Amino acid sequence: MKRVTLLLAVVMIFALAVSAPAIDQKGKFSLGGYGGYGFGFGDVFKKYEFGDYSVQNKITYCIGAKVKYGLTPNVALAGAIDYQGGKTEAKGDFEGFDLSASETWHWMGILLNAVYVFSPEATTSPYVTAGGGFYIPSEE
């Protein structure tokens, strides 16, 4: 697991070093990297309580790299590989037994998206991304 994290970190550093702007993207490749760390909300991160026992998903993180190829000045295809992880905590006791535990989880995502850039001639521009992919859970 540490090898995968290290490999993705190195890929992200190289991808950031050679990244290109989206200006006039037709027929050009660009590489990029990203990382994030966040907290959750909604049902996925809700604390579920069962008497004196509770279960809750905690903070997650992700790192990744993507490659983009411009089909037209406004439209590009983007592929990404990302690595995500998080933690689930269970706390409490049941009939005198301490059932507190935590478990980390990880998965790798492989994604393909279409990107539409609204103003490709501008230095910065809003864009929309849509697509799909799949996630491969770790064996741990």
Side-chain angles (χ1 to χ4, degrees):
M1 186 55 58
K2 290 181 183 180
R3 290 180 187 169
V4 172
T5 304
L6 179 62
L7 175 65
L8 286 174
V10 169
V11 167
M12 188 171 88
I13 289 168
F14 282 118
L16 287 171
V18 296
S19 64
I23 299 171
D24 192 22
Q25 64 186 1
K26 183 178 179 182
K28 295 181 182 176
F29 280 97
S30 64
L31 298 172
Y34 57 90
Y37 192 75
F39 60 92
F41 55 89
D43 288 342
V44 172
F45 292 90
K46 180 179 172 184
K47 185 175 187 177
Y48 291 95
E49 296 190 19
F50 309 96
D52 292 334
Y53 187 70
S54 66
V55 177
Q56 183 177 21
N57 286 320
K58 293 291 186 174
I59 293 173
T60 62
Y61 65 91
C62 74
I63 59 172
K66 65 177 158 180
V67 62
K68 183 170 71 169
Y69 178 73
L71 300 174
T72 71
N74 292 82
V75 178
L77 288 178
I81 296 177
D82 81 16
Y83 178 79
Q84 298 182 10
K87 185 177 187 178
T88 301
E89 287 186 352
K91 294 181 180 178
D93 92 21
F94 180 73
E95 296 181 0
F97 294 99
D98 182 19
L99 300 176
S100 298
S102 67
E103 180 179 339
T104 57
W105 42 267
H106 308 275
W107 63 70
M108 180 156 310
I110 300 173
L111 312 163
L112 181 62
N113 296 309
V115 180
Y116 181 82
V117 179
F118 290 99
S119 301
E121 68 282 348
T123 304
T124 59
S125 172
Y127 63 91
V128 175
T129 301
F134 61 93
Y135 287 93
I136 304 165
S138 71
E139 297 295 324
E140 296 178 4

